[in-house]
Amino acid sequence: MSGTTQAAIDCSVSTSGVGFGDYDPLLATPDDSSANVAVTCTRVILVDPFRVNYTLSLSRGSSGTYAPRRMNAGSARLNYNLFRDAARAQVWGDGTNSTGTVAGTANFVWFQTSQTNNHTAYGRVPAQQNASPGSYTDTIVLTITF
């Protein structure tokens, strides 16, 4: 027999990224920010499934560690991290090294073909780091498993 196979569900993620703005090393409070992570799942075949579970994980970034992640501006470094919760107590990672992932479910009703769920990534740059002037960046890979 021959034929083609098509996945019943397709999911994708998008985010604008976490932007911290200007960092003042003299402030006694951390620099907090957040970003939306949108997960869009689309049913290709309308008969099934009505539900798909997914997991979102984040890479370590250029520092190679979750404790802490580091942004770079040339050879200068600035510590930061990304969290799963607004209290910024649960590091968002891949489930290893005391990190956690974010789980979600797309539930479809009858003839609904697409659903978008929103999650929040909470960022924090700790206070009073000896930071050199510059534009600090890091690249984090967000992976969806479904």
mmCIF file of all heavy atoms in Angstrom, residues 66-114:
data_model
loop_
_atom_site.group_PDB
_atom_site.id
_atom_site.type_symbol
_atom_site.label_atom_id
_atom_site.label_comp_id
_atom_site.label_asym_id
_atom_site.label_seq_id
_atom_site.Cartn_x
_atom_site.Cartn_y
_atom_site.Cartn_z
ATOM 1 N N TYR A 66 22.037 27.638 33.921
ATOM 2 C CA TYR A 66 20.798 28.292 34.333
ATOM 3 C C TYR A 66 21.007 29.159 35.571
ATOM 4 O O TYR A 66 20.120 29.890 35.967
ATOM 5 C CB TYR A 66 19.718 27.252 34.655
ATOM 6 C CG TYR A 66 19.213 26.521 33.442
ATOM 7 C CD1 TYR A 66 19.475 25.172 33.267
ATOM 8 C CD2 TYR A 66 18.473 27.176 32.479
ATOM 9 C CE1 TYR A 66 18.985 24.495 32.157
ATOM 10 C CE2 TYR A 66 17.993 26.518 31.364
ATOM 11 C CZ TYR A 66 18.257 25.171 31.217
ATOM 12 O OH TYR A 66 17.783 24.511 30.124
ATOM 13 N N ALA A 67 22.161 29.043 36.213
ATOM 14 C CA ALA A 67 22.364 29.718 37.490
ATOM 15 C C ALA A 67 23.651 30.528 37.511
ATOM 16 O O ALA A 67 24.661 30.044 37.969
ATOM 17 C CB ALA A 67 22.375 28.690 38.621
ATOM 18 N N PRO A 68 23.658 31.747 37.069
ATOM 19 C CA PRO A 68 22.594 32.427 36.326
ATOM 20 C C PRO A 68 22.860 32.379 34.828
ATOM 21 O O PRO A 68 23.941 31.987 34.401
ATOM 22 C CB PRO A 68 22.722 33.861 36.832
ATOM 23 C CG PRO A 68 24.207 34.030 37.017
ATOM 24 C CD PRO A 68 24.700 32.671 37.492
ATOM 25 N N ARG A 69 21.873 32.797 34.068
ATOM 26 C CA ARG A 69 22.113 33.077 32.654
ATOM 27 C C ARG A 69 22.878 34.399 32.589
ATOM 28 O O ARG A 69 22.827 35.192 33.523
ATOM 29 C CB ARG A 69 20.789 33.205 31.902
ATOM 30 C CG ARG A 69 20.056 31.873 31.729
ATOM 31 C CD ARG A 69 18.740 32.107 31.007
ATOM 32 N NE ARG A 69 18.131 30.884 30.558
ATOM 33 C CZ ARG A 69 17.052 30.330 31.123
ATOM 34 N NH1 ARG A 69 16.501 30.880 32.182
ATOM 35 N NH2 ARG A 69 16.552 29.210 30.639
ATOM 36 N N ARG A 70 23.562 34.631 31.459
ATOM 37 C CA ARG A 70 24.313 35.884 31.316
ATOM 38 C C ARG A 70 24.072 36.499 29.951
ATOM 39 O O ARG A 70 24.109 35.806 28.938
ATOM 40 C CB ARG A 70 25.809 35.625 31.472
ATOM 41 C CG ARG A 70 26.239 35.570 32.896
ATOM 42 C CD ARG A 70 27.756 35.503 33.016
ATOM 43 N NE ARG A 70 28.064 34.459 33.963
ATOM 44 C CZ ARG A 70 28.596 33.288 33.652
ATOM 45 N NH1 ARG A 70 28.943 33.015 32.437
ATOM 46 N NH2 ARG A 70 28.791 32.390 34.570
ATOM 47 N N MET A 71 23.886 37.815 29.954
ATOM 48 C CA MET A 71 23.855 38.588 28.714
ATOM 49 C C MET A 71 25.260 39.110 28.463
ATOM 50 O O MET A 71 26.024 39.331 29.402
ATOM 51 C CB MET A 71 22.895 39.775 28.831
ATOM 52 C CG MET A 71 21.452 39.383 28.957
ATOM 53 S SD MET A 71 20.367 40.823 29.041
ATOM 54 C CE MET A 71 20.468 41.195 30.794
ATOM 55 N N ASN A 72 25.584 39.317 27.198
ATOM 56 C CA ASN A 72 26.914 39.773 26.818
ATOM 57 C C ASN A 72 26.848 41.078 26.031
ATOM 58 O O ASN A 72 25.947 41.271 25.222
ATOM 59 C CB ASN A 72 27.605 38.722 25.941
ATOM 60 C CG ASN A 72 27.639 37.369 26.610
ATOM 61 O OD1 ASN A 72 28.072 37.243 27.733
ATOM 62 N ND2 ASN A 72 27.165 36.359 25.899
ATOM 63 N N ALA A 73 27.838 41.927 26.291
ATOM 64 C CA ALA A 73 28.076 43.126 25.488
ATOM 65 C C ALA A 73 29.576 43.121 25.230
ATOM 66 O O ALA A 73 30.352 43.617 26.047
ATOM 67 C CB ALA A 73 27.643 44.388 26.219
ATOM 68 N N GLY A 74 29.980 42.482 24.137
ATOM 69 C CA GLY A 74 31.401 42.263 23.901
ATOM 70 C C GLY A 74 31.924 41.318 24.959
ATOM 71 O O GLY A 74 31.381 40.235 25.166
ATOM 72 N N SER A 75 32.941 41.727 25.713
ATOM 73 C CA SER A 75 33.491 40.877 26.773
ATOM 74 C C SER A 75 32.821 41.147 28.130
ATOM 75 O O SER A 75 33.090 40.444 29.102
ATOM 76 C CB SER A 75 34.999 41.084 26.895
ATOM 77 O OG SER A 75 35.270 42.436 27.243
ATOM 78 N N ALA A 76 31.935 42.142 28.210
ATOM 79 C CA ALA A 76 31.237 42.454 29.463
ATOM 80 C C ALA A 76 30.059 41.492 29.654
ATOM 81 O O ALA A 76 29.457 41.031 28.679
ATOM 82 C CB ALA A 76 30.740 43.893 29.440
ATOM 83 N N ARG A 77 29.748 41.189 30.897
ATOM 84 C CA ARG A 77 28.672 40.249 31.231
ATOM 85 C C ARG A 77 27.698 40.892 32.210
ATOM 86 O O ARG A 77 28.088 41.702 33.055
ATOM 87 C CB ARG A 77 29.234 38.986 31.881
ATOM 88 C CG ARG A 77 30.341 38.302 31.105
ATOM 89 C CD ARG A 77 29.774 37.528 29.919
ATOM 90 N NE ARG A 77 30.832 36.866 29.167
ATOM 91 C CZ ARG A 77 31.381 37.355 28.063
ATOM 92 N NH1 ARG A 77 30.969 38.495 27.572
ATOM 93 N NH2 ARG A 77 32.321 36.698 27.417
ATOM 94 N N LEU A 78 26.431 40.477 32.103
ATOM 95 C CA LEU A 78 25.398 40.936 33.024
ATOM 96 C C LEU A 78 24.510 39.738 33.341
ATOM 97 O O LEU A 78 23.929 39.124 32.427
ATOM 98 C CB LEU A 78 24.579 42.065 32.383
ATOM 99 C CG LEU A 78 23.583 42.809 33.256
ATOM 100 C CD1 LEU A 78 24.283 43.486 34.435
ATOM 101 C CD2 LEU A 78 22.833 43.840 32.428
ATOM 102 N N ASN A 79 24.433 39.347 34.615
ATOM 103 C CA ASN A 79 23.627 38.198 35.034
ATOM 104 C C ASN A 79 22.138 38.521 34.956
ATOM 105 O O ASN A 79 21.720 39.652 35.239
ATOM 106 C CB ASN A 79 23.977 37.791 36.463
ATOM 107 C CG ASN A 79 25.379 37.257 36.586
ATOM 108 O OD1 ASN A 79 25.971 36.777 35.627
ATOM 109 N ND2 ASN A 79 25.933 37.336 37.780
ATOM 110 N N TYR A 80 21.359 37.509 34.610
ATOM 111 C CA TYR A 80 19.905 37.632 34.579
ATOM 112 C C TYR A 80 19.324 36.231 34.633
ATOM 113 O O TYR A 80 20.053 35.234 34.601
ATOM 114 C CB TYR A 80 19.427 38.339 33.297
ATOM 115 C CG TYR A 80 19.396 37.448 32.082
ATOM 116 C CD1 TYR A 80 18.188 36.919 31.615
ATOM 117 C CD2 TYR A 80 20.562 37.091 31.412
ATOM 118 C CE1 TYR A 80 18.160 36.088 30.505
ATOM 119 C CE2 TYR A 80 20.533 36.269 30.306
ATOM 120 C CZ TYR A 80 19.330 35.762 29.856
ATOM 121 O OH TYR A 80 19.288 34.934 28.764
ATOM 122 N N ASN A 81 18.006 36.136 34.703
ATOM 123 C CA ASN A 81 17.366 34.840 34.538
ATOM 124 C C ASN A 81 15.931 35.013 34.076
ATOM 125 O O ASN A 81 15.377 36.118 34.102
ATOM 126 C CB ASN A 81 17.423 33.983 35.805
ATOM 127 C CG ASN A 81 17.815 32.552 35.444
ATOM 128 O OD1 ASN A 81 17.410 32.032 34.401
ATOM 129 N ND2 ASN A 81 18.619 31.923 36.282
ATOM 130 N N LEU A 82 15.357 33.897 33.631
ATOM 131 C CA LEU A 82 13.974 33.832 33.164
ATOM 132 C C LEU A 82 13.234 32.846 34.044
ATOM 133 O O LEU A 82 13.763 31.779 34.381
ATOM 134 C CB LEU A 82 13.922 33.388 31.698
ATOM 135 C CG LEU A 82 14.644 34.312 30.725
ATOM 136 C CD1 LEU A 82 14.739 33.673 29.349
ATOM 137 C CD2 LEU A 82 13.934 35.658 30.653
ATOM 138 N N PHE A 83 12.002 33.208 34.395
ATOM 139 C CA PHE A 83 11.249 32.439 35.371
ATOM 140 C C PHE A 83 9.862 32.080 34.850
ATOM 141 O O PHE A 83 9.309 32.760 33.990
ATOM 142 C CB PHE A 83 11.104 33.254 36.669
ATOM 143 C CG PHE A 83 12.429 33.614 37.279
ATOM 144 C CD1 PHE A 83 13.076 34.783 36.906
ATOM 145 C CD2 PHE A 83 13.024 32.786 38.211
ATOM 146 C CE1 PHE A 83 14.301 35.128 37.462
ATOM 147 C CE2 PHE A 83 14.247 33.111 38.759
ATOM 148 C CZ PHE A 83 14.892 34.282 38.391
ATOM 149 N N ARG A 84 9.289 31.016 35.448
ATOM 150 C CA ARG A 84 7.959 30.543 35.094
ATOM 151 C C ARG A 84 6.867 31.243 35.885
ATOM 152 O O ARG A 84 5.699 31.142 35.544
ATOM 153 C CB ARG A 84 7.839 29.040 35.365
ATOM 154 C CG ARG A 84 8.857 28.205 34.689
ATOM 155 C CD ARG A 84 8.735 26.724 34.987
ATOM 156 N NE ARG A 84 8.601 26.414 36.398
ATOM 157 C CZ ARG A 84 7.964 25.360 36.879
ATOM 158 N NH1 ARG A 84 7.377 24.509 36.074
ATOM 159 N NH2 ARG A 84 7.907 25.137 38.160
ATOM 160 N N ASP A 85 7.229 31.925 36.976
ATOM 161 C CA ASP A 85 6.244 32.495 37.880
ATOM 162 C C ASP A 85 6.530 33.970 38.145
ATOM 163 O O ASP A 85 7.667 34.417 38.076
ATOM 164 C CB ASP A 85 6.211 31.711 39.194
ATOM 165 C CG ASP A 85 7.532 31.792 39.938
ATOM 166 O OD1 ASP A 85 8.598 31.692 39.289
ATOM 167 O OD2 ASP A 85 7.502 31.975 41.163
ATOM 168 N N ALA A 86 5.472 34.707 38.480
ATOM 169 C CA ALA A 86 5.591 36.153 38.711
ATOM 170 C C ALA A 86 6.451 36.469 39.930
ATOM 171 O O ALA A 86 7.045 37.550 40.009
ATOM 172 C CB ALA A 86 4.205 36.768 38.873
ATOM 173 N N ALA A 87 6.553 35.553 40.893
ATOM 174 C CA ALA A 87 7.401 35.763 42.068
ATOM 175 C C ALA A 87 8.883 35.587 41.725
ATOM 176 O O ALA A 87 9.737 35.905 42.540
ATOM 177 C CB ALA A 87 7.011 34.794 43.185
ATOM 178 N N ARG A 88 9.147 35.091 40.519
ATOM 179 C CA ARG A 88 10.518 34.867 40.027
ATOM 180 C C ARG A 88 11.297 33.949 40.959
ATOM 181 O O ARG A 88 12.440 34.183 41.298
ATOM 182 C CB ARG A 88 11.224 36.201 39.803
ATOM 183 C CG ARG A 88 10.596 36.950 38.622
ATOM 184 C CD ARG A 88 11.026 38.387 38.537
ATOM 185 N NE ARG A 88 10.529 39.010 37.322
ATOM 186 C CZ ARG A 88 9.311 39.529 37.178
ATOM 187 N NH1 ARG A 88 8.448 39.469 38.158
ATOM 188 N NH2 ARG A 88 8.962 40.098 36.037
ATOM 189 N N ALA A 89 10.633 32.842 41.327
ATOM 190 C CA ALA A 89 11.242 31.842 42.201
ATOM 191 C C ALA A 89 11.548 30.538 41.460
ATOM 192 O O ALA A 89 12.380 29.764 41.912
ATOM 193 C CB ALA A 89 10.323 31.551 43.385
ATOM 194 N N GLN A 90 10.877 30.291 40.330
ATOM 195 C CA GLN A 90 11.025 29.034 39.591
ATOM 196 C C GLN A 90 11.688 29.314 38.244
ATOM 197 O O GLN A 90 11.058 29.840 37.325
ATOM 198 C CB GLN A 90 9.659 28.387 39.361
ATOM 199 C CG GLN A 90 8.895 28.117 40.637
ATOM 200 C CD GLN A 90 7.453 27.733 40.368
ATOM 201 O OE1 GLN A 90 6.989 27.696 39.233
ATOM 202 N NE2 GLN A 90 6.715 27.448 41.425
ATOM 203 N N VAL A 91 12.966 28.951 38.117
ATOM 204 C CA VAL A 91 13.701 29.192 36.879
ATOM 205 C C VAL A 91 13.089 28.356 35.760
ATOM 206 O O VAL A 91 12.834 27.161 35.905
ATOM 207 C CB VAL A 91 15.199 28.856 37.050
ATOM 208 C CG1 VAL A 91 15.940 28.966 35.721
ATOM 209 C CG2 VAL A 91 15.830 29.783 38.086
ATOM 210 N N TRP A 92 12.851 28.997 34.621
ATOM 211 C CA TRP A 92 12.303 28.323 33.445
ATOM 212 C C TRP A 92 13.471 27.782 32.641
ATOM 213 O O TRP A 92 14.319 28.521 32.167
ATOM 214 C CB TRP A 92 11.496 29.308 32.625
ATOM 215 C CG TRP A 92 10.683 28.726 31.508
ATOM 216 C CD1 TRP A 92 10.784 27.476 30.962
ATOM 217 C CD2 TRP A 92 9.654 29.383 30.787
ATOM 218 N NE1 TRP A 92 9.872 27.320 29.953
ATOM 219 C CE2 TRP A 92 9.159 28.486 29.819
ATOM 220 C CE3 TRP A 92 9.099 30.657 30.853
ATOM 221 C CZ2 TRP A 92 8.146 28.816 28.930
ATOM 222 C CZ3 TRP A 92 8.088 30.977 29.971
ATOM 223 C CH2 TRP A 92 7.612 30.067 29.028
ATOM 224 N N GLY A 93 13.519 26.464 32.522
ATOM 225 C CA GLY A 93 14.590 25.792 31.794
ATOM 226 C C GLY A 93 14.070 24.589 31.055
ATOM 227 O O GLY A 93 12.993 24.634 30.453
ATOM 228 N N ASP A 94 14.824 23.487 31.167
ATOM 229 C CA ASP A 94 14.436 22.263 30.456
ATOM 230 C C ASP A 94 14.066 21.127 31.411
ATOM 231 O O ASP A 94 13.959 19.983 31.005
ATOM 232 C CB ASP A 94 15.554 21.815 29.514
ATOM 233 C CG ASP A 94 16.832 21.435 30.247
ATOM 234 O OD1 ASP A 94 16.875 21.485 31.495
ATOM 235 O OD2 ASP A 94 17.813 21.094 29.561
ATOM 236 N N GLY A 95 13.891 21.438 32.696
ATOM 237 C CA GLY A 95 13.526 20.416 33.673
ATOM 238 C C GLY A 95 14.727 19.810 34.381
ATOM 239 O O GLY A 95 14.568 18.962 35.251
ATOM 240 N N THR A 96 15.944 20.222 34.027
ATOM 241 C CA THR A 96 17.146 19.737 34.702
ATOM 242 C C THR A 96 17.709 20.836 35.589
ATOM 243 O O THR A 96 17.320 22.001 35.476
ATOM 244 C CB THR A 96 18.226 19.306 33.688
ATOM 245 O OG1 THR A 96 18.647 20.456 32.937
ATOM 246 C CG2 THR A 96 17.710 18.231 32.737
ATOM 247 N N ASN A 97 18.646 20.471 36.454
ATOM 248 C CA ASN A 97 19.350 21.438 37.304
ATOM 249 C C ASN A 97 18.404 22.371 38.058
ATOM 250 O O ASN A 97 18.594 23.587 38.085
ATOM 251 C CB ASN A 97 20.339 22.260 36.473
ATOM 252 C CG ASN A 97 21.370 21.383 35.803
ATOM 253 O OD1 ASN A 97 21.899 20.471 36.414
ATOM 254 N ND2 ASN A 97 21.641 21.648 34.545
ATOM 255 N N SER A 98 17.380 21.813 38.674
ATOM 256 C CA SER A 98 16.402 22.563 39.484
ATOM 257 C C SER A 98 15.593 23.573 38.675
ATOM 258 O O SER A 98 15.096 24.562 39.226
ATOM 259 C CB SER A 98 17.094 23.265 40.659
ATOM 260 O OG SER A 98 17.723 22.316 41.488
ATOM 261 N N THR A 99 15.461 23.368 37.368
ATOM 262 C CA THR A 99 14.616 24.231 36.548
ATOM 263 C C THR A 99 13.313 23.505 36.242
ATOM 264 O O THR A 99 13.195 22.298 36.422
ATOM 265 C CB THR A 99 15.294 24.615 35.221
ATOM 266 O OG1 THR A 99 15.405 23.451 34.387
ATOM 267 C CG2 THR A 99 16.670 25.216 35.461
ATOM 268 N N GLY A 100 12.343 24.252 35.768
ATOM 269 C CA GLY A 100 11.074 23.665 35.378
ATOM 270 C C GLY A 100 10.696 24.072 33.973
ATOM 271 O O GLY A 100 11.277 24.983 33.392
ATOM 272 N N THR A 101 9.731 23.388 33.444
ATOM 273 C CA THR A 101 9.177 23.707 32.132
ATOM 274 C C THR A 101 7.772 24.263 32.337
ATOM 275 O O THR A 101 7.253 24.263 33.450
ATOM 276 C CB THR A 101 9.134 22.457 31.234
ATOM 277 O OG1 THR A 101 8.341 21.452 31.889
ATOM 278 C CG2 THR A 101 10.536 21.903 30.983
ATOM 279 N N VAL A 102 7.156 24.715 31.268
ATOM 280 C CA VAL A 102 5.781 25.210 31.321
ATOM 281 C C VAL A 102 4.923 24.274 30.480
ATOM 282 O O VAL A 102 5.258 23.981 29.327
ATOM 283 C CB VAL A 102 5.694 26.662 30.800
ATOM 284 C CG1 VAL A 102 4.244 27.097 30.633
ATOM 285 C CG2 VAL A 102 6.438 27.599 31.740
ATOM 286 N N ALA A 103 3.848 23.792 31.063
ATOM 287 C CA ALA A 103 2.941 22.879 30.371
ATOM 288 C C ALA A 103 1.657 23.605 30.006
ATOM 289 O O ALA A 103 1.241 24.554 30.688
ATOM 290 C CB ALA A 103 2.631 21.671 31.241
ATOM 291 N N GLY A 104 1.042 23.174 28.928
ATOM 292 C CA GLY A 104 -0.222 23.740 28.497
ATOM 293 C C GLY A 104 -1.035 22.724 27.730
ATOM 294 O O GLY A 104 -0.535 21.656 27.370
ATOM 295 N N THR A 105 -2.276 23.073 27.475
ATOM 296 C CA THR A 105 -3.179 22.213 26.722
ATOM 297 C C THR A 105 -4.003 23.061 25.774
ATOM 298 O O THR A 105 -4.537 24.098 26.167
ATOM 299 C CB THR A 105 -4.136 21.455 27.668
ATOM 300 O OG1 THR A 105 -3.358 20.683 28.583
ATOM 301 C CG2 THR A 105 -5.064 20.532 26.888
ATOM 302 N N ALA A 106 -4.066 22.633 24.539
ATOM 303 C CA ALA A 106 -4.970 23.251 23.568
ATOM 304 C C ALA A 106 -6.201 22.352 23.478
ATOM 305 O O ALA A 106 -6.091 21.186 23.117
ATOM 306 C CB ALA A 106 -4.300 23.385 22.213
ATOM 307 N N ASN A 107 -7.350 22.885 23.865
ATOM 308 C CA ASN A 107 -8.616 22.155 23.801
ATOM 309 C C ASN A 107 -9.458 22.723 22.662
ATOM 310 O O ASN A 107 -9.758 23.911 22.651
ATOM 311 C CB ASN A 107 -9.391 22.304 25.118
ATOM 312 C CG ASN A 107 -8.739 21.544 26.241
ATOM 313 O OD1 ASN A 107 -8.492 20.365 26.129
ATOM 314 N ND2 ASN A 107 -8.440 22.237 27.330
ATOM 315 N N PHE A 108 -9.820 21.866 21.738
ATOM 316 C CA PHE A 108 -10.614 22.290 20.590
ATOM 317 C C PHE A 108 -12.069 21.871 20.783
ATOM 318 O O PHE A 108 -12.350 20.831 21.364
ATOM 319 C CB PHE A 108 -10.091 21.645 19.300
ATOM 320 C CG PHE A 108 -8.699 22.074 18.951
ATOM 321 C CD1 PHE A 108 -7.601 21.334 19.371
ATOM 322 C CD2 PHE A 108 -8.478 23.213 18.205
ATOM 323 C CE1 PHE A 108 -6.315 21.727 19.044
ATOM 324 C CE2 PHE A 108 -7.190 23.617 17.875
ATOM 325 C CZ PHE A 108 -6.110 22.864 18.297
ATOM 326 N N VAL A 109 -12.968 22.697 20.297
ATOM 327 C CA VAL A 109 -14.383 22.342 20.311
ATOM 328 C C VAL A 109 -14.849 22.159 18.872
ATOM 329 O O VAL A 109 -14.433 22.885 17.977
ATOM 330 C CB VAL A 109 -15.238 23.408 21.027
ATOM 331 C CG1 VAL A 109 -14.892 23.463 22.502
ATOM 332 C CG2 VAL A 109 -15.077 24.769 20.400
ATOM 333 N N TRP A 110 -15.637 21.179 18.657
ATOM 334 C CA TRP A 110 -16.235 20.804 17.382
ATOM 335 C C TRP A 110 -15.434 21.196 16.148
ATOM 336 O O TRP A 110 -14.476 20.543 15.827
ATOM 337 C CB TRP A 110 -17.674 21.308 17.317
ATOM 338 C CG TRP A 110 -18.470 20.692 18.420
ATOM 339 C CD1 TRP A 110 -18.880 21.297 19.565
ATOM 340 C CD2 TRP A 110 -18.876 19.336 18.524
ATOM 341 N NE1 TRP A 110 -19.522 20.423 20.378
ATOM 342 C CE2 TRP A 110 -19.547 19.193 19.758
ATOM 343 C CE3 TRP A 110 -18.749 18.210 17.716
ATOM 344 C CZ2 TRP A 110 -20.083 17.997 20.194
ATOM 345 C CZ3 TRP A 110 -19.294 17.022 18.144
ATOM 346 C CH2 TRP A 110 -19.951 16.919 19.357
ATOM 347 N N PHE A 111 -15.802 22.254 15.475
ATOM 348 C CA PHE A 111 -15.161 22.595 14.208
ATOM 349 C C PHE A 111 -14.094 23.685 14.345
ATOM 350 O O PHE A 111 -13.679 24.276 13.361
ATOM 351 C CB PHE A 111 -16.220 23.003 13.174
ATOM 352 C CG PHE A 111 -17.113 21.863 12.811
ATOM 353 C CD1 PHE A 111 -18.404 21.784 13.315
ATOM 354 C CD2 PHE A 111 -16.654 20.845 11.994
ATOM 355 C CE1 PHE A 111 -19.218 20.707 13.001
ATOM 356 C CE2 PHE A 111 -17.460 19.762 11.672
ATOM 357 C CZ PHE A 111 -18.743 19.695 12.181
ATOM 358 N N GLN A 112 -13.668 23.935 15.563
ATOM 359 C CA GLN A 112 -12.595 24.907 15.792
ATOM 360 C C GLN A 112 -11.298 24.356 15.188
ATOM 361 O O GLN A 112 -10.936 23.204 15.389
ATOM 362 C CB GLN A 112 -12.414 25.126 17.295
ATOM 363 C CG GLN A 112 -11.348 26.132 17.642
ATOM 364 C CD GLN A 112 -11.159 26.246 19.157
ATOM 365 O OE1 GLN A 112 -11.663 25.453 19.937
ATOM 366 N NE2 GLN A 112 -10.426 27.269 19.557
ATOM 367 N N THR A 113 -10.603 25.182 14.420
ATOM 368 C CA THR A 113 -9.385 24.716 13.749
ATOM 369 C C THR A 113 -8.105 25.250 14.368
ATOM 370 O O THR A 113 -7.032 24.697 14.133
ATOM 371 C CB THR A 113 -9.405 25.115 12.258
ATOM 372 O OG1 THR A 113 -9.523 26.534 12.154
ATOM 373 C CG2 THR A 113 -10.554 24.430 11.524
ATOM 374 N N SER A 114 -8.182 26.326 15.140
ATOM 375 C CA SER A 114 -6.968 26.918 15.686
ATOM 376 C C SER A 114 -7.235 27.473 17.076
ATOM 377 O O SER A 114 -8.328 27.954 17.369
ATOM 378 C CB SER A 114 -6.480 28.038 14.763
ATOM 379 O OG SER A 114 -5.285 28.595 15.243
#
